[in-house]
């Protein structure tokens, strides 16, 4: 075998602390290495051309590139060797940047470790064999999970691009948080006026099937061919028959149900339509509060419904859908402010969250857009806003910035003055973060044009005084303690991962960070892709972001799906497991262990044997370590290949100990 080794400088990233010329020189002495050199940027056009020329000139059978992480450039170099006529699996990568130069400063030690890694890669390459991907067909339908503004945008862009879309939303209506907002920064335009038409487009688009009040129960399959079970939760109303007339909601005697849309300022009826612009505009019964469903008495809605739509016997219903790609747009939830004892821990009626305040500001809200104190219904005069409640605070496990709270607080201060010209707003803040287009100008307007008083410092406590509240905090710019008398306090609660996000991630087989936000494949270059092929992200499920960025990601993920579906056939990764039928004793251990259900039992001349289903196997390799017979091997990572790497490392360590 003739191997070529190319050691990359990566500018000074590697060459700064690794003697790359020595690594190349030592590589020339390694068994089977016919050519070795160092190169400034192996991934650049001249770098790749150099590899191609060397393959041709020295008639190389395989190539090792010692450079950065394979996650980024393995596909690049595989394409390079393919262009020179080699099978792309006759290539190995030694990561001497993330695993060497970026983690150590000692050039001598780094160089020695880089030589070890190159020799291991070369030893493995000797055992590589050319692999051929198989082609399979693509189901050109897409599922969007989550019907907030990001999911709505993704669904509409895919549908307008000619794809069949299945949109699954867990609450009874699409719209997400944006449907609860009064106005939006920085233009202060009406949220429902810009979101409403998009919601209607979803309902009317011929390419979109909408399931609301529904969640993903199970996902099987792989890119191009996912089989998904959607659980349609019982609404106890036949939505085909329901016309959304709302008669039932007027007559229902059970009025203590949670008003989720209005952030539980007050209550609603057991049978309800979440809000006037809901899509679909259908009634749903909250079983916990329905008198008929809890104790068998009542049934008023059943008697009154003009279309006889009530179905107390309705059960959850599983529905099967097959799609080729999935866009996840499950958004975020709000931090539970009751965790802050110093802000009253939820005990003070007029200390409310920013989203509750949005509902008080909104004409479709419980007070018809008149800001009133929940405690006594009076209009507040002094409104104090406290930023970073559950953001940038390690003590509550939320060290990150929620991104949009500075901006929506400025918006709410502006709207407060618009609603109540005699009012005075105060904002306690840590820093103002307003990096978007026209954002900084917007916060300045809140201060200069609307007279909002900004106090830089944290609030140490809120306590009631008569029918008012005293907000005590530090003014760190003045170096003094301040106390502000407030009629109402609005807590700018931060964003956290949507409830159930980790469980959904496990079904989708995508990664999530320690806060539960989904991980993109690459933070800069693949911001809407995940590490699972065919699964894309949009909006706040990946981390907090404002509406323009969420919409941008919705469109970006749709573009990715359209690009994926531009081909009729996809190639499967041949790095999957293979069973040696002669060694297999049919014990079934691998079948039990495979997390993807990719191994089946087959009958081979009357004996049970394991068989890998090529299209389902993800190449995780778990089965290979389970098989007591060593009968199952992962292509490209066989025992021989891994042991070759271990052997050469042991030999080198032994040799060094004698020197
Ligand atoms: P979401 O709006 O959270 O939507 C996610 C959807 O997915 C929801 O409908 C949810 O029910 C659904 N879902 C969740 N889990 C599942 C599941 N497992 N299966 C199916 N469906 C699921 N931004 C601005 O740009 N301008 C503003 O003025 C503004 N004001 C704001 C005011 C407040 C008080 C707050 C808290 C935020 C504000 N924002 C504003 C930010 C804005 O809310 C977000 O940018 C936007 O809602 C993100 O949209 P999304 O679709 O990613 O998430
Ligand atoms: Fe729907 Fe019947 Fe209620 Fe009207 S009365 S909203 S048709 S369930
Ligand atoms: Fe309301 Fe009675 Fe209908 Fe239940 S049965 S939703 S309590 S009207």
């Amino acid at each position: 075998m003739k191997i070529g080794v190319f050691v990359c400088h990566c500018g000074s990233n590697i060459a700064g602390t690794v003697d790359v010329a020595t690594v190349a020189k030592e590589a020339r002495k390694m068994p089977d290495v016919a050519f070795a050199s160092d190169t400034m940027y192996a991934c650049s056009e001249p770098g790749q051309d150099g590899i191609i020329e060397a393959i041709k000139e020295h008639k190389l059978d395989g190539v090792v590139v010692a450079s950065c992480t394979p996650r980024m450039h393995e596909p690049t170099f595989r394409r390079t060797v393919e262009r020179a006529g080699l099978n792309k699996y006759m290539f190995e990568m030694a990561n001497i940047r993330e695993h060497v130069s970026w983690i150590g400063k000692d050039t001598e030690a780094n160089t020695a470790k880089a030589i070890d890694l190159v020799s291991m890669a070369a030893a493995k390459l000797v055992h590589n064999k050319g692999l051929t991907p198989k082609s399979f067909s693509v189901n050109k339908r897409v599922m969007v999970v989550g019907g907030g503004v990001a999911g709505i945008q993704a669904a509409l862009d895919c549908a307008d691009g000619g794809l069949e879309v299945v949109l699954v939303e867990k609450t009874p209506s699409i719209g997400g948080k944006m449907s609860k907002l009064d106005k939006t920064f920085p233009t202060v335009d009406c949220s429902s006026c810009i979101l409403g038409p998009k919601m209607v487009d979803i309902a009317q688009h011929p390419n979109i099937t909408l399931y609301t009040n529904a969640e993903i129960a199970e996902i099987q399959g792989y890119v191009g061919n996912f089989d998904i079970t959607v659980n349609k939760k019982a609404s106890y109303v036949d939505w085909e028959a329901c016309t959304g007339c709302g008669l039932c909601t007027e007559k229902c005697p059970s009025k203590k149900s949670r008003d989720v849309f209005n952030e539980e300022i007050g209550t609603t009826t057991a049978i309800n339509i979440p809000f006037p612009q809901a899509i679909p505009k259908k009634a749903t019964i909250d079983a916990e509060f329905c008198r008929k469903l809890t104790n068998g008495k009542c049934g008023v809605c059943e008697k009154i419904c003009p279309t006889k739509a009530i179905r107390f016997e309705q059960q959850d219903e599983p529905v099967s859908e097959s799609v080729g790609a999935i866009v996840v747009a499950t958004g975020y939830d709000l931090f539970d402010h009751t965790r802050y004892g110093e802000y009253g821990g939820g005990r003070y009626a007029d200390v409310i969250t920013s989203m509750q305040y949005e509902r008080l500001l909104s004409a479709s809200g419980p007070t018809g857009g008149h800001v009133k104190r929940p405690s006594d219904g009076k209009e507040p005069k002094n409104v104090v806003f406290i930023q970073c409640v559950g953001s940038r605070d390690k003590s509550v496990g939320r060290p990150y910035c929620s991104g949009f709270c500075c901006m929506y607080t400025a918006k709410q201060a502006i709207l407060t003055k618009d609603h109540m010209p005699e009012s005075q707003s105060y904002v306690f803040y840590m820093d103002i973060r307003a990096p978007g287009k026209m954002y900084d100008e917007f916060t300045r307007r809140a201060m200069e044009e609307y007279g909002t008083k900004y106090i830089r410092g944290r609030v140490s406590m809120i306590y009631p005084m008569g029918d008012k509240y005293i907000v005590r905090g530090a003014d760190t710019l003045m170096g003094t303690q301040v106390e502000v008398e407030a009629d109402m306090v609005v807590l700018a609660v931060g964003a956290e991962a949507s409830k159930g996000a980790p469980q959904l991630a496990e079904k989708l087989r995508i990664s999530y960070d320690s806060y539960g936000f989904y991980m993109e494949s690459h933070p800069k270059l693949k911001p809407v892709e995940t590490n699972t092929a065919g699964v894309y992200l949009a909006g706040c499920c990946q981390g907090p972001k404002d509406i323009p960025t969420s919409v941008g990601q919705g469109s970006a993920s749709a573009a990715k799906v359209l690009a994926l579906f531009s081909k009729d056939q996809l190639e499967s990764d041949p790095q999957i497991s293979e069973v040696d039928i002669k060694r297999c004793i049919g014990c079934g251990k691998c079948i039990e262990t495979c997390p993807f259900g990719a191994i089946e039992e087959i009958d081979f001349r009357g004996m049970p044997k394991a068989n890998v289903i090529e299209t389902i196997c993800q190449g995780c390799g778990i089965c290979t370590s389970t098989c007591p017979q060593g009968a199952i091997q992962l292509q490209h990572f066989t025992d021989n290949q891994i042991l070759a790497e271990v052997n050469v490392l042991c030999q080198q360590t032994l040799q060094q100990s004698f020197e």
Side-chain angles (χ1 to χ4, degrees), residues 479-500:
T480 54
Q481 286 289 314
V482 282
E483 285 192 350
V484 181
E485 197 181 77
D487 298 300
M488 184 180 254
V489 181
V490 179
L491 305 176
V493 281
E496 57 185 27
S498 167
K499 275 173 204 71

Side-chain angles (χ1 to χ4, degrees), residues 398-608:
R398 299 281 176 267
Y400 55 84
C401 171
S402 292
F404 43 58
C405 318
C406 289
M407 289 304 297
Y408 75 57
T409 301
K411 172 190 74 174
Q412 293 184 338
I414 288 175
L415 293 173
T416 302
K417 198 75 174 172
D418 280 345
H419 280 62
M420 303 174 292
E422 300 305 314
S423 66
Q424 175 63 56
S425 294
Y426 299 83
V427 176
F428 279 89
Y429 71 103
M430 284 163 68
D431 301 292
I432 303 291
R433 297 189 165 178
K437 190 174 176 181
M438 299 298 288
Y439 282 16
D440 199 56
E441 295 90 321
F442 185 75
T443 53
R444 281 185 194 288
R445 263 179 73 201
M447 294 174 203
E448 292 160 12
E449 220 178 289
Y450 286 81
T452 310
K453 292 190 178 153
Y454 272 73
I455 303 163
R456 187 172 195 269
R458 276 202 93 96
V459 168
S460 55
M461 79 184 297
I462 301 172
Y463 59 92
M465 176 81 84
D467 69 343
K468 297 192 184 294
Y469 299 88
I470 304 298
V471 182
R472 181 186 290 167
D475 184 332
T476 52
L477 293 180
M478 302 296 284
T480 54
Q481 286 289 314
V482 282
E483 285 192 350
V484 181
E485 197 181 77
D487 298 300
M488 184 180 254
V489 181
V490 179
L491 305 176
V493 281
E496 57 185 27
S498 167
K499 275 173 204 71
Q503 289 79 354
L504 181 62
E506 268 144 42
K507 287 178 191 153
L508 289 157
R509 298 189 293 268
I510 59 174
S511 320
Y512 52 94
D513 65 21
S514 52
Y515 309 110
F517 290 113
Y518 297 145
M519 300 273 286
E520 63 285 350
S521 182
H522 189 282
K524 281 154 267 175
L525 301 178
K526 293 184 175 180
V528 297
E529 281 139 295
T530 66
N531 283 337
T532 300
V535 180
Y536 305 94
L537 304 175
C540 291
C541 62
Q542 180 258 352
K545 50 185 72 68
D546 58 15
I547 295 166
T549 316
S550 302
V551 170
Q553 281 205 333
S555 291
S557 57
K560 288 285 167 196
V561 174
L562 287 160
L564 178 77
F565 289 175
S566 65
K567 301 179 197 113
D568 292 327
Q569 297 274 308
L570 291 179
E571 279 191 349
S572 66
D573 189 344
Q575 293 175 108
I576 56 167
S577 284
E578 197 178 58
V579 178
D580 180 345
I581 209 123
K582 289 192 220 89
R583 285 181 124 178
C584 174
I585 53 168
C587 67
K589 287 205 165 76
C590 56
I591 300 175
E592 282 166 33
T593 328
C594 175
F596 302 101
I599 310 177
E600 61 183 353
E601 188 184 291
I602 53 162
D603 180 84
F604 183 75
R605 293 180 192 156
M607 282 185 298

Side-chain angles (χ1 to χ4, degrees), residues 248 251-254 269-272 284-286 289-293 297-302 310 312:
C248 54
K251 302 290 178 198
C252 173
S254 172
T269 43
I271 187 162
N272 64 77
T284 304
I285 295 179
D286 183 340
F289 293 89
C290 170
R291 295 181 185 179
K292 176 84 175 175
L293 289 169
K297 295 185 186 133
C298 188
V300 166
C301 55
E302 193 177 31
I310 307 300
F312 292 117

Side-chain angles (χ1 to χ4, degrees), residues 48 131 151 332 350 392 529 567 621:
Q48 293 189 47
L131 301 175
Y332 67 101
D350 304 316
R392 304 176 65 199
E529 281 139 295
K567 301 179 197 113

